[in-house]
Amino acid sequence: DADVTQTPRNRITKTGKRIMLECSQTKGHDRMYWYRQDPGLGLRLIYYSFDVKDINKGEISDGYSVSRQAQAKFSLSLESAIPNQTALYFCATSDLQTGGIETQYFGPGTRLLVL
Amino acid sequence: SQQGEEDPQALSIQEGENATMNCSYKTSINNLQWYRQNSGRGLVHLILIRSNEREKHSGRLRVTLDTSKKSSSLLITASRAADTASYFCATKGAGGSYIPTFGRGTSLIVHP
């Protein structure tokens, strides 16, 4: 079974709709991240969480919100979806190791299309 | 903003050739990692190099780091068609408050 899972894998929605993307992990990691990927722009950080009580905005948090329901679960919501939020969304997890090392483990991604 | 910038953006080679991609960054780092992404899939960690290291090897991968030039290179030797993917560098500062920062990636195509 995959260590980091994302649901749904594909989603088509309409402008103005609220949607939620979910991420679960079985790696026991404290840190979780949400990224979006657009062609040619690499990964851009939306939100990240160092533990259940610590949530931080990334570089492109406008229009998004998150919830860390448990150590293993981190959800991303689009309150009112708009077409330019069409993208590939990734969840990632990590633990901070000795020496500042932090290797991220990515989910398979959610492909979102906003019409 | 993105810390690392990969170069070239795209690279096309024949099977058996070596592939070299570079990553430049702006601020001091604690470590640098390279990740691979097959089309439309999640990134997978390849190799890590610490700021006090100059070179690391893993199988057909060779990574170098030059902190004076704030740059790193990833060399894939004897490339295979299965190496076709995008490659990203991720830099990280020292301290728990820092998070990995990704570049925009190099798209590698290896022709059989």
Side-chain angles (χ1 to χ4, degrees):
Chain A
D1 288 340
D3 294 320
V4 185
T5 58
Q6 292 183 235
T7 56
R9 294 294 311 280
N10 295 279
R11 179 72 183 269
I12 300 174
T13 192
K14 295 182 179 179
T15 297
K17 294 291 187 182
R18 182 182 188 276
I19 67 163
M20 179 182 289
L21 309 183
E22 298 187 349
C23 177
S24 294
Q25 52 114 347
T26 58
K27 298 189 75 67
H29 289 166
D30 285 328
R31 298 185 169 204
M32 298 187 75
Y33 299 78
W34 275 105
Y35 295 93
R36 68 175 278 176
Q37 186 176 35
D38 301 273
L41 294 180
L43 291 175
R44 291 187 291 167
L45 182 63
I46 307 172
Y47 270 95
Y48 62 103
S49 171
F50 284 171
D51 64 40
V52 174
K53 297 180 181 178
D54 184 2
I55 293 178
N56 305 279
K57 292 183 177 181
E59 61 180 299
I60 55 162
S61 59
D62 288 348
Y64 301 94
S65 63
V66 291
S67 174
R68 186 82 184 264
Q69 301 97 320
Q71 186 202 39
K73 296 185 182 295
F74 193 35
S75 300
L76 175 71
S77 294
L78 285 67
E79 298 302 324
S80 179
I82 56 176
N84 80 358
Q85 290 178 313
T86 293
L88 185 55
Y89 289 84
F90 287 105
C91 172
T93 74
S94 66
D95 253 356
L96 185 64
Q97 301 167 34
T98 304
I101 304 299
E102 181 177 351
T103 297
Q104 291 184 305
Y105 296 83
F106 284 79
T110 293
R111 194 171 295 277
L112 175 65
L113 173 61
V114 183
L115 301 175
Chain B
S1 61
Q2 286 162 317
Q3 157 83 306
E5 290 294 336
E6 290 89 345
D7 171 63
Q9 288 187 322
L11 182 59
S12 180
I13 60 174
Q14 294 296 128
E15 214 167 25
E17 295 179 340
N18 294 342
T20 300
M21 41 207 106
N22 305 294
C23 171
S24 59
Y25 56 91
K26 298 173 184 174
T27 60
S28 296
I29 62 171
N30 172 272
N31 62 82
L32 184 148
Q33 303 191 53
W34 285 90
Y35 289 78
R36 167 193 169 126
Q37 182 186 31
N38 286 7
S39 181
R41 301 198 173 193
L43 279 67
V44 175
H45 176 255
L46 291 177
I47 192 166
L48 173 147
I49 187 164
R50 293 176 172 81
S51 59
N52 62 353
E53 298 174 315
R54 292 296 168 257
E55 189 170 312
K56 289 282 287 288
H57 296 257
S58 178
R60 293 185 296 113
L61 304 179
R62 172 178 170 254
V63 171
T64 62
L65 179 64
D66 187 334
T67 53
S68 67
K69 295 181 179 178
K70 292 186 170 61
S71 68
S72 173
S73 67
L74 171 67
L75 168 67
I76 304 174
T77 59
S79 62
R80 306 166 180 168
D83 294 327
T84 293
S86 291
Y87 293 82
F88 294 85
C89 67
T91 57
K92 187 176 180 302
S97 62
Y98 288 91
I99 59 174
T101 306
F102 288 84
R104 298 187 179 192
T106 291
S107 175
L108 172 66
I109 297 176
V110 182
H111 300 279

